[in-house]
Amino acid sequence: MKKVKFAVVGAGHIGKRHAEMVARNDNAELVALADIKPEDTLDIDKYGVPFFNSVDELIAKGPDFDVLCIATPNGLHAQHAMAGLTARKHIVVEKPMALTKSDCETIIHKAMAVHKHVFCVMQNRYSPPSVWIKDIVDLGILGKINIVQINCYWNRDDRYYKLDGWKGTQDLDGGTLFTQFSHFLDIMYWLFGDLSNIKSQFGDFTHEKSTEFEDTGVVNFEFKKGGLGCINYSTAVWGQNFESSLTVIGENGTVKIGGQYMNEVEYCHIKDYEMPVLPPSNPANDYGPYKGSAANHNYIFDNVIECINEGTMPTTNAMEGLKVVEIIENIYTKNPYFKSKRGRRSQKSNSKV
């Protein structure tokens, strides 16, 4: 198997996670990094690869590579994906794929035209509870799905939303559902399909001065395949993350996956079914004062390498990435709060990598 060559644009917490996963993989090679910040401020010396201050400079002057990993602010994902695809590189893009369905469609059309893959990072699919519930839903063990509830209650405070940063801005962050909770909407879509009849309410309890969007939301909807659903979420939890949970009530039983990161099976009671012993989940990504979703990026890179070398399919393809963005866009834009709250916070500056 040939080594697949990777370059990473964005050398923050997640970009370093990408670089580390490549460096640890025997079938991968990290050949370059790029970021708008000075190289000596990024703590990336250990990778020992050429460094560039923009994606354009990386493509024009950098070494040859196969895959561009995009770990930049959300609002730049589409721009950077298009730059990589124009240079005929495969793309690994962190969630969300983009901030609009239209931008996702543009990326997909370009990828088709240049015959390249776009891999969307939705690593929570690899957690043992996610793999398990996918199996029982697909096999019909729960029977008809009656109701699905997702609860996501995290802490994001002034340690996270810095005045000179991109997080909290409408144009580069996009919103709480895009940045914090799109992984869990992806799991829901992966399991139960598309939504209709979306109704939402938003509030802002502790982030009036730090973000241009809501910190709390209650969303109700129907699944097109049948059944009701709701998402309750907040980043206004004091001190630390509380939970990310998925409850499914079906015709033949009830299950709940919980814990702080939807990483534990907390309840399983299904007709004529015995719960198997699952492997342990990986810990959450640790970013110092706050934590994120499961550290499953190694599975993403195994899949990328396998697809490129052996012609298999991405585990999270671009169409699925588009659907998650479309769902979030619909949740936001169909509520008057979207227009009344957003755009207030002018002190945040735009960024370009």
Side-chain angles (χ1 to χ4, degrees):
M1 182 180 290
K2 76 162 189 172
K3 283 196 173 185
V4 177
K5 296 181 179 181
F6 290 82
V8 179
V9 57
H13 290 301
I14 290 295
K16 289 173 187 171
R17 170 71 61 181
H18 284 227
E20 194 64 33
M21 293 301 98
V22 173
R24 292 181 189 179
N25 195 307
D26 291 339
N27 297 310
E29 180 182 359
L30 181 68
V31 299
L33 289 164
D35 198 285
I36 58 170
K37 293 182 179 179
E39 182 177 5
D40 59 6
T41 68
L42 295 169
D43 190 27
I44 55 175
D45 291 346
K46 67 177 181 177
Y47 297 114
V49 297
F51 177 81
F52 303 90
N53 279 124
S54 73
V55 69
D56 293 335
E57 184 185 21
L58 165 65
I59 291 170
K61 300 179 180 179
D64 187 36
F65 60 93
D66 305 300
V67 183
L68 178 65
C69 295
I70 299 170
T72 51
N74 301 343
L76 298 176
H77 287 181
Q79 171 190 326
H80 292 159
M82 289 301 292
L85 290 168
T86 300
R88 296 184 177 272
K89 310 300 182 184
H90 298 287
I91 301 298
V92 173
V93 58
E94 272 293 334
K95 56 79 183 167
M97 182 179 170
L99 291 182
T100 66
K101 177 185 176 183
S102 176
D103 279 348
C104 292
E105 289 173 336
T106 300
I107 292 168
I108 290 170
H109 292 156
K110 185 65 175 180
M112 293 173 64
V114 297
H115 306 289
K116 295 299 178 182
H117 285 300
V118 175
F119 302 86
C120 300
V121 177
M122 293 295 188
Q123 75 270 18
N124 281 29
R125 292 188 181 194
Y126 291 96
S127 294
S130 299
V131 175
W132 167 73
I133 195 169
K134 177 66 170 172
D135 284 343
I136 65 171
V137 169
D138 286 355
L139 291 171
I141 291 172
L142 282 168
K144 181 179 68 175
I145 302 301
N146 297 331
I147 187 168
V148 175
Q149 179 185 58
I150 291 180
N151 291 330
C152 295
Y153 302 128
W154 282 12
N155 162 265
R156 291 293 184 268
D157 52 27
D158 288 342
R159 297 170 296 178
Y160 183 82
Y161 294 112
K162 297 179 174 62
L163 288 178
D164 59 348
W166 61 270
K167 293 167 182 168
T169 63
Q170 179 181 341
D171 57 344
L172 293 178
D173 183 320
T176 306
L177 289 176
F178 280 119
T179 301
Q180 272 71 54
F181 301 132
S182 60
H183 285 304
F184 307 113
L185 272 73
D186 172 68
I187 293 295
M188 182 186 70
Y189 172 72
W190 186 48
L191 294 173
F192 306 111
D194 209 352
L195 316 182
S196 64
N197 197 24
I198 297 170
K199 297 180 176 67
S200 57
Q201 292 180 282
F202 301 130
D204 191 4
F205 298 105
T206 63
H207 296 81
E208 185 66 24
K209 295 181 179 179
S210 57
T211 75
E212 293 177 352
F213 41 74
E214 85 296 345
D215 63 20
T216 300
V218 177
V219 186
N220 297 288
F221 47 85
E222 299 173 15
F223 290 104
K224 290 185 177 180
K225 293 180 180 178
L228 302 178
C230 62
I231 302 165
N232 309 300
Y233 68 92
S234 182
T235 53
V237 176
W238 179 82
Q240 65 182 24
N241 295 347
F242 171 46
E243 76 164 355
S244 307
S245 67
L246 169 70
T247 299
V248 183
I249 298 175
E251 177 184 16
N252 297 330
T254 302
V255 298
K256 180 181 180 181
I257 298 174
Q260 285 189 342
Y261 312 102
M262 212 178 281
N263 57 338
E264 305 169 11
V265 179
E266 294 186 352
Y267 186 85
C268 175
H269 184 62
I270 304 173
K271 178 182 178 181
D272 300 326
Y273 179 81
E274 183 176 346
M275 175 74 200
V277 176
L278 303 182
S281 296
N282 286 333
N285 284 307
D286 192 339
Y287 307 129
Y290 59 93
K291 290 180 170 59
S293 295
N296 290 330
H297 280 78
N298 54 307
Y299 301 115
I300 300 291
F301 285 91
D302 286 343
N303 178 241
V304 172
I305 293 164
E306 185 181 79
C307 287
I308 292 172
N309 279 334
E310 300 179 18
T312 57
M313 296 301 294
T315 51
T316 308
N317 63 50
M319 284 302 301
E320 292 174 308
L322 177 150
K323 285 303 301 183
V324 174
V325 169
E326 181 183 27
I327 288 168
I328 295 173
E329 193 174 30
N330 285 339
I331 289 171
Y332 279 146
T333 57
K334 291 182 179 179
N335 189 295
Y337 184 95
F338 178 86
K339 293 181 180 179
S340 67
K341 164 66 177 173
R342 291 170 175 244
R344 293 183 190 171
R345 195 160 153 257
S346 59
Q347 70 263 39
K348 286 279 190 176
S349 60
N350 206 340
S351 299
K352 187 173 182 179
V353 176

